[in-house]
Amino acid sequence: MPEAPETEELRTQIEAIDEEIIDLIATRMEIADELAKAKRRTSQGYWDEGKEREVIQRYHELCEEVSLSEDEARQIAEVILHISKERQKHFFE
């Protein structure tokens, strides 16, 4: 059974947004890699728990502005931070 034109258009819009999200996350990770290199050069640890809490709080505030829940904000932040943490760890091994 073919999808309704409206459904197809909505799916196309979602696909375009997903592409933008991935591009932005890739850019964020490239910057996080540079941050890890800078931390290593200055003998800092690769992960700062206090900064992690700040980032999660920032995500909460940003999500609140666009009517996403606190739980959704936490989930988004946790996924992005987990990836970032794993990538940064590699620069210190």
Side-chain angles (χ1 to χ4, degrees), residues 15-45:
E15 288 172 9
I17 291 167
D18 287 346
E19 187 174 325
E20 290 178 44
I21 290 168
I22 295 301
D23 286 344
L24 290 170
I25 290 172
T27 300
R28 188 191 193 287
M29 293 306 154
E30 289 171 6
I31 294 168
D33 290 351
E34 292 303 314
L35 177 61
K37 291 173 189 175
K39 287 190 235 180
R40 185 171 180 185
R41 282 191 302 271
T42 58
S43 300
Q44 297 177 49

Side-chain angles (χ1 to χ4, degrees), residues 27-63:
T27 300
R28 188 191 193 287
M29 293 306 154
E30 289 171 6
I31 294 168
D33 290 351
E34 292 303 314
L35 177 61
K37 291 173 189 175
K39 287 190 235 180
R40 185 171 180 185
R41 282 191 302 271
T42 58
S43 300
Q44 297 177 49
Y46 75 92
W47 203 250
D48 180 337
E49 298 295 327
K51 186 56 71 178
E52 180 177 2
R53 286 189 295 276
E54 288 177 24
V55 171
I56 292 170
Q57 179 60 34
R58 185 174 67 239
Y59 273 66
H60 174 68
E61 291 166 4
L62 291 169
C63 284

